[in-house]
Amino acid sequence: MKVVYDKVKDGVRILRCFGYDGQVELPDRIGGLAVTELGPYAFSELVRRQTPGEKYLVEVTGGQTDGACRMTERPDDGIRLDGGLADEGSACYGKALDPGEDLVGAEALADGTPALGGDALRRVRLPGGLRKIGAYAFYNCARLERLEIPSSLQDLGAGLFTGCHGVEHLTLWMLPGKSCLKEVLAEFKQTLRVDCLEADGRLKAKLLFPEYYEESIENTPARILTQEMHGCGHRYRNAFSGTQFQYLVYDKLFPHIQVQEKPELVTELVLGRLLYPVQLMEDRRQIYESYAASHGKEIFRIAKREKDPSLLRAAAEASWCGEACLEAMLEAGRDAKDPQALGILMAVRHRRRVKQAGLGADMDRASGRDDGKSLAPEPKRRRRFSL
């Protein structure tokens, strides 16, 4: 992937990305400088605002940190971006663009590499040191599905995710300081699944925020417009105290989603809270467990949709998953003709039955009903034959 960027006071600002696979993973550093900003209209198909100043073009390799930018060959007009601090073998060279060369608004580079933006964008991972995103950075990225951002974002531009109706998953790195989760959630009205990760990459919580929409109704005699809210998503998006997410408020909203949403979506929310019970109170746990135990088929469908056998196994082995719940999952697996899922569920059922049989034998011995003789095999009788 190649990026166009310029330098700001505290680091580097990404202005445009070029690539083929629709996936963007921006590096944490370019030429020894931290990537701290994403420019306005950075991933929009149409760029309506340009930033003045000197710009650079460089090729980056995602996932690396310092020294993550490199060219395949040192350009003749290249400049060393790391200020000579790195060894010659790991030096980072970039091409300084001509002031009249407009690559920020270009649809492709001279070598044919297309711009990553608009409908071409599928997934984006922003660096952990990012502090600011310019206005309309993701304008009309209708096919954007997954977004991974740090919680430490401080400045979100206007209209940031306008037209991004396809976003379904948000991964949030929980870093120290104020969280931007509330501001980001306000940008999306569709159903959004949020994975909260610790700084070391461990999954802390899985949250689901249902969709909602507003409707304006005209009251002609009174000459006023009244706003009506549909869906319970706005309630879940307000489960905050300042910028801190409140799990207790989130859990208390369960009756609303239980009435207004489909059972499969409700079950998905319940599973996320039961498998990652951050600040989950005992009374709320019991409500969630009771609901999940009566929706075995929905559990199977969620695991199949997510292609996550570990989710199916964890639910089947949970203490709240009774015989009826397990049989419902097995029935759904047989209907779907999924041999892998059936193997997992049948193995869990077999272990349960073996355990129950062992507990039954222990109880018989403890009560004196079994003196141990019944465990010894009866001797076989010899049959005598006469001619």
Side-chain angles (χ1 to χ4, degrees):
M1 183 180 68
K2 297 178 181 179
V3 300
V4 177
Y5 74 96
D6 63 357
K7 297 180 181 180
V8 291
K9 181 178 179 180
D10 57 347
V12 165
R13 174 170 53 194
I14 303 293
L15 301 175
R16 201 67 167 168
C17 297
F18 297 85
Y20 289 97
D21 59 359
Q23 301 187 27
V24 174
E25 187 174 353
L26 295 179
D28 293 331
R29 307 178 72 84
I30 292 181
L33 299 176
V35 177
T36 59
E37 292 188 26
L38 189 63
Y41 294 93
F43 293 106
S44 172
E45 189 173 7
L46 180 62
V47 178
R48 297 180 178 177
R49 187 184 305 171
Q50 294 270 6
T51 56
E54 190 174 21
K55 301 177 180 63
Y56 305 91
L57 173 66
V58 71
E59 183 174 352
V60 303
T61 55
Q64 298 185 17
T65 54
D66 201 8
C69 58
R70 59 173 66 116
M71 303 297 290
T72 53
E73 295 180 2
R74 176 174 176 173
D76 295 335
D77 56 348
I79 58 173
R80 188 164 177 169
L81 301 176
D82 56 17
L85 298 177
D87 297 333
E88 186 66 26
S90 62
C92 186
Y93 292 96
K95 177 185 177 183
L97 300 179
D98 188 282
E101 189 175 3
D102 179 20
L103 289 184
V104 176
E107 296 183 357
L109 297 176
D111 60 2
T113 307
L116 284 167
D119 290 344
L121 197 64
R122 296 291 185 273
R123 300 185 179 187
V124 175
R125 179 189 182 277
L126 301 180
L130 201 69
R131 296 291 179 268
K132 179 181 179 180
I133 302 180
Y136 300 99
F138 295 92
Y139 180 71
N140 268 353
C141 294
R143 297 186 180 181
L144 178 63
E145 300 172 355
R146 292 178 178 267
L147 186 65
E148 187 172 339
I149 63 174
S151 66
S152 54
L153 283 171
Q154 300 172 358
D155 189 349
L156 302 179
L160 183 58
F161 296 104
T162 301
C164 298
H165 305 301
V167 177
E168 298 178 349
H169 290 85
L170 172 68
T171 300
L172 186 73
W173 289 86
M174 306 299 292
L175 302 178
K178 294 183 178 180
S179 174
C180 66
L181 179 58
K182 184 178 181 179
E183 293 181 73
V184 174
L185 288 175
E187 298 282 342
F188 300 103
K189 295 185 178 180
Q190 67 266 32
T191 299
L192 191 64
R193 296 161 178 86
V194 179
D195 291 347
C196 299
L197 304 181
E198 298 280 11
D200 58 1
R202 290 184 296 109
L203 184 58
K204 177 182 179 180
K206 289 181 73 70
L207 304 173
L208 186 143
F209 295 87
E211 68 174 344
Y212 76 100
Y213 67 94
E214 301 175 22
E215 182 182 12
S216 298
I217 300 177
E218 181 181 3
N219 188 338
T220 305
R223 297 181 180 180
I224 60 174
L225 286 175
T226 59
Q227 297 289 122
E228 286 193 6
M229 199 77 67
H230 300 272
C232 58
H234 68 287
R235 297 177 182 269
Y236 278 89
R237 285 164 173 79
N238 288 324
F240 288 85
S241 176
T243 61
Q244 296 301 314
F245 183 72
Q246 301 296 307
Y247 290 95
L248 180 59
V249 177
Y250 180 89
D251 293 330
K252 286 185 176 180
L253 294 172
F254 182 66
H256 295 278
I257 190 175
Q258 191 175 0
V259 172
Q260 300 184 41
E261 297 293 343
K262 295 181 178 179
E264 186 171 328
L265 191 70
V266 181
T267 305
E268 186 176 356
L269 180 145
V270 168
L271 285 178
R273 293 297 289 138
L274 289 177
L275 296 179
Y276 301 92
V278 182
Q279 300 181 21
L280 181 60
M281 305 299 290
E282 184 59 31
D283 58 336
R284 300 297 161 182
R285 182 195 299 273
Q286 293 176 4
I287 294 174
Y288 284 150
E289 289 179 350
S290 176
Y291 187 90
S294 60
H295 290 80
K297 290 185 178 181
E298 284 77 10
I299 294 174
F300 174 84
R301 295 191 190 107
I302 294 168
K304 185 173 180 62
R305 186 194 68 212
E306 297 294 328
K307 299 179 181 179
D308 189 0
S310 62
L311 173 62
L312 187 65
R313 182 181 292 105
E317 293 177 345
S319 59
W320 49 261
C321 182
E323 190 69 23
C325 180
L326 185 58
E327 289 300 325
M329 285 192 277
L330 280 165
E331 182 180 352
R334 286 190 290 267
D335 293 341
K337 299 179 181 179
D338 189 335
Q340 182 185 16
L342 286 173
I344 293 173
L345 295 173
M346 292 178 70
V348 173
R349 184 174 66 176
H350 175 71
R351 288 196 295 269
R352 284 189 177 186
R353 290 180 175 178
V354 170
K355 184 177 180 180
Q356 290 174 357
L359 289 175
D362 292 341
M363 292 176 65
D364 287 343
R365 284 193 292 270
S367 61
R369 290 195 298 267
D370 187 356
D371 56 3
K373 294 181 180 179
S374 61
L375 299 178
E378 295 184 1
K380 293 182 179 180
R381 293 184 177 182
R382 290 186 177 182
R383 301 183 62 181
R384 298 179 64 183
F385 295 92
S386 60
L387 296 176

